[in-house]
Amino acid sequence: MLPGPLHEIQTQIRLDQQTEQGQHSYAIRVGIEATLSQNVRAHGLRRSRYRGLARGHVQHVLTAMARKVARVADWISVLIINRPLEQRP
């Protein structure tokens, strides 16, 4: 059980999540958190190998690009697998 004000906030958030708009915003949040988790686990995004904001930013941008390339490769492989055999390359 939470203290009074925190309990009221938590109750209000839970009620907001029951609305259609709340479910939509929660779905967006879940997608973002899944992407961040994947980048942390697969690409080591939690720690930067460089010092400084500029170099760390470059690492994050390159990591995001690598993840997008991997997603496109996965998408293309699914397209090829779902084709009929006579249409495959």
Side-chain angles (χ1 to χ4, degrees):
M1 191 95 191
L2 295 172
L6 292 177
H7 180 69
E8 291 171 11
I9 293 170
Q10 185 181 46
T11 304
Q12 183 61 40
I13 289 172
R14 287 182 178 169
L15 289 174
D16 289 344
Q17 287 178 346
Q18 301 300 320
T19 65
E20 188 174 327
Q21 182 182 6
Q23 289 176 355
H24 177 69
S25 64
Y26 189 73
I28 292 171
R29 176 182 172 190
V30 167
I32 292 169
E33 286 187 5
T35 301
L36 287 173
S37 175
Q38 191 174 38
N39 285 334
V40 166
R41 293 171 188 263
H43 301 290
L45 196 60
R46 189 175 309 279
R47 294 181 184 249
S48 178
R49 64 173 58 190
Y50 305 109
R51 288 187 183 175
L53 290 176
R55 290 181 181 170
H57 177 69
V58 169
Q59 179 186 350
H60 287 186
V61 169
L62 292 175
T63 301
M65 288 173 53
R67 187 65 218 135
K68 294 237 183 232
V69 168
R71 283 185 176 176
V72 169
D74 291 344
W75 179 68
I76 290 172
S77 67
V78 167
L79 288 179
I80 290 173
I81 289 171
N82 290 335
R83 282 188 194 171
L85 285 175
E86 60 273 357
Q87 292 180 359
R88 291 185 189 177

